[in-house]
Amino acid sequence: MNQAEILDTALQEATRLWGIAEGWLLSPAAWSQFALLLIAYLVALYTSRKLHALLGRLLTPPEGQDSYIARARRFVALFLPLLLPLLAYVFTGLGESVTRSLFGSGAVIAFGKRVFLFLAVRILVREVISDPVMQVLGRYILVPVAALYALGLLDPAMAYLDATVVPLGNLSFSVLFAIRFVVVAGAIFWLGRWSNDQSSQFIKKQEEMRPAMRELIAKTIEIAIFGVAFLLVMNIMGISLTSLAVLTGVIGVGLGFGLQKIASNFISGVILLLEGQATVGDYVELDGGEAGTIIKMTARATILETYDGRWIVVPNEDFITTRVVNYSDSGSANRYEAPFSVSYDTDINKVPAIIEAAVAKHPGVLTTPFPPDCELRGFGDSGVDFAVEFWVEGIDDGKNKFMSDVLFLIWNALKAEGITIPYPHRVVELKTPLPEQTA
């Protein structure tokens, strides 16, 4: 259909609509239907105001409740803005049955009913739907469809879109099929993402399971949900999976060449989740120097967060093929040692007991697996070298300042006992006397 034909069709449709409107304006039955529309709207307005307050109290749970029933009540409460147009739609439908029984016609009131439905769809998209993807689908597809339905132009528009064919190589499809595919796929994958979020939250609350097992189950459910969503979209749209054989072969070749790293990282991620050698919450240090707390494990990579707030994305393969130091910040104890020195005129036999008692006062220092242990390490150039070993929960970084606190305790304990901490001394020996200064 060329541009002239489209313009001619539009003019014909506008003339037809004007004729219908002119007939309504001159018909007594039409005016009675307009009156019924107004009455239906006013009754819906009064009823919605009464019900809105009542339903608002019933559907709003006490603050702080997070049970499934409370979530369901909050979800239903989101649809309260639709109360007015839906009540108007229902009351208008009752008026339509009355007018058709009395006058044998109800075109005007049927048009008003469709308008109320359009208003309900518009409020749904603008005030109820919060997901960005669904908002785009609603704004550019659902609202225009509702507007065409209200004007009685939906069937001609669908017929025109169905007749408009888009060629794509050896394939061809209508514009209507493409729009349906986008709507159905968007809705199903949005539902899949919502289901995946709910299942992930439920699994992460199961504290009796190991973190690695929780992550593995969550990833398995995610793959299953989106796999089923893909098959469901193909089935609803009538696309045979056998027609995707060529595409599957291309993907297989890609995995064998360009995507082999992605496949390797995916398999490495599954191995990590199964073995549990590194999981969310652990503090790890890789062979390349990257170190941080694991905050997320995805299908391709593991995300580390450093104590200065940076995120490091590490491919899962690096955890399998390279050396990884796991400090197990999620609960395992770690040992540190603080070196110090005392002067040579100190009774060094008293030093271990003094330091061990001082370090043991720190609330973060553990008594198991071993209490603080002060050891003589050697005789240095300026003093006698000692070191105290101590065990703590967590890593000496970020919020924890174990080493700094212990060094303060050592300093204060030595000062309290009158023990001197040495510093380097240098003795200069002159082989020849200094020249005498003359007045």
Side-chain angles (χ1 to χ4, degrees):
M1 187 179 291
N2 55 34
Q3 187 174 2
E5 292 176 342
I6 294 175
L7 182 60
D8 184 59
T9 303
L11 290 174
Q12 291 178 4
E13 192 64 31
T15 303
R16 184 181 69 85
L17 292 176
W18 172 252
I20 294 174
E22 188 178 11
W24 287 355
L25 292 175
L26 300 176
S27 171
W31 281 102
S32 64
Q33 293 179 50
F34 278 121
L36 283 175
L37 276 177
L38 180 60
I39 293 173
Y41 175 76
L42 293 176
V43 173
L45 181 62
Y46 175 80
T47 307
S48 65
R49 287 181 177 177
K50 295 295 184 181
L51 289 177
H52 197 282
L54 176 61
L55 293 176
R57 290 193 299 268
L58 292 176
L59 296 175
T60 303
E63 188 175 355
Q65 278 194 5
D66 197 33
S67 62
Y68 290 107
I69 297 178
R71 293 181 184 178
R73 291 167 64 183
R74 293 191 184 96
F75 178 75
V76 176
L78 294 175
F79 295 89
L80 286 179
L82 299 176
L83 194 58
L84 174 59
L86 291 181
L87 284 175
Y89 179 84
V90 172
F91 293 151
T92 305
L94 297 176
E96 181 184 8
S97 62
V98 173
T99 56
R100 289 191 184 276
S101 63
L102 294 177
F103 302 104
S105 173
V108 176
I109 201 167
F111 171 73
K113 188 172 68 170
R114 296 196 299 268
V115 170
F116 288 135
L117 185 61
F118 165 74
L119 294 177
V121 170
R122 188 167 178 268
I123 293 174
L124 176 69
V125 173
R126 295 184 61 181
E127 301 183 22
V128 178
I129 297 176
S130 58
D131 184 80
V133 176
M134 298 304 294
Q135 275 191 341
V136 170
L137 292 177
R139 186 180 300 116
Y140 295 106
I141 296 179
L142 188 58
V143 172
V145 167
L148 290 173
Y149 175 73
L151 295 174
L153 301 176
L154 183 59
D155 290 338
M158 291 183 65
Y160 173 74
L161 293 175
D162 193 29
T164 305
V165 178
V166 178
L168 187 63
N170 295 328
L171 301 175
S172 62
F173 54 89
S174 66
V175 176
L176 181 61
F177 176 83
I179 294 175
R180 284 177 176 172
F181 182 83
V182 171
V183 173
V184 172
I188 290 179
F189 278 99
W190 173 83
L191 183 61
R193 189 180 67 177
W194 179 83
S195 303
N196 179 62
D197 293 340
Q198 298 301 315
S199 60
S200 297
Q201 292 178 8
F202 175 77
I203 292 171
K204 289 178 180 179
K205 292 180 180 178
Q206 310 305 312
E207 299 293 340
E208 66 275 6
M209 299 173 61
R210 292 190 302 112
M213 184 59 65
R214 292 200 298 265
E215 290 290 330
L216 179 60
I217 293 176
K219 293 300 177 186
T220 303
I221 292 177
E222 180 180 1
I223 294 173
I225 287 176
F226 286 104
V228 170
F230 174 77
L231 296 176
L232 190 59
V233 170
M234 296 295 105
N235 185 45
I236 291 177
M237 301 309 299
I239 301 176
S240 176
L241 294 178
T242 57
S243 62
L244 301 177
V246 176
L247 179 62
T248 305
V250 173
I251 294 176
V253 174
L255 286 174
F257 292 95
L259 303 179
Q260 58 181 344
K261 279 293 183 181
I262 296 178
S264 175
N265 286 318
F266 176 78
I267 296 173
S268 299
V270 174
I271 295 173
L272 282 174
L273 293 173
L274 286 174
E275 294 183 349
Q277 295 178 354
T279 186
V280 175
D282 288 352
Y283 187 90
V284 297
E285 181 180 352
L286 276 68
D287 210 14
E290 301 90 349
T293 303
I294 299 177
I295 60 172
K296 188 176 183 181
M297 301 181 73
T298 65
R300 187 192 66 84
T302 298
I303 299 177
L304 309 182
E305 184 177 21
T306 64
Y307 282 115
D308 55 3
R310 292 180 296 175
W311 281 17
I312 304 176
V313 180
V314 181
N316 290 329
E317 186 181 11
D318 291 356
F319 283 86
I320 303 298
T321 59
T322 62
R323 183 181 67 91
V324 179
V325 180
N326 190 345
Y327 291 93
S328 298
D329 195 22
S330 58
S332 297
N334 295 293
R335 192 194 72 171
Y336 292 94
E337 65 175 43
F340 65 96
S341 299
V342 297
S343 62
Y344 274 103
D345 58 358
T346 304
D347 185 358
I348 61 174
N349 297 293
K350 298 180 180 180
V351 172
I354 295 172
I355 299 302
E356 290 170 2
V359 175
K361 295 178 182 178
H362 191 284
V365 174
L366 306 176
T367 57
T368 55
F370 300 102
D373 181 27
C374 184
E375 299 176 352
L376 176 65
R377 292 297 174 86
F379 301 99
D381 295 336
S382 302
V384 183
D385 297 329
F386 284 88
V388 58
E389 298 174 350
F390 58 95
W391 289 78
V392 291
E393 291 277 5
I395 304 299
D396 181 38
D397 204 343
K399 64 180 181 179
N400 300 323
K401 300 177 176 60
F402 298 127
M403 186 64 70
S404 175
D405 295 342
V406 167
L407 290 175
F408 270 110
L409 292 172
I410 293 173
W411 173 275
N412 294 329
L414 294 179
K415 287 294 183 180
E417 295 293 331
I419 298 175
T420 305
I421 298 177
Y423 55 88
H425 291 77
R426 295 293 180 264
V427 177
V428 179
E429 182 179 352
L430 299 176
K431 296 295 185 179
T432 58
L434 292 173
E436 295 184 358
Q437 294 181 353
T438 57

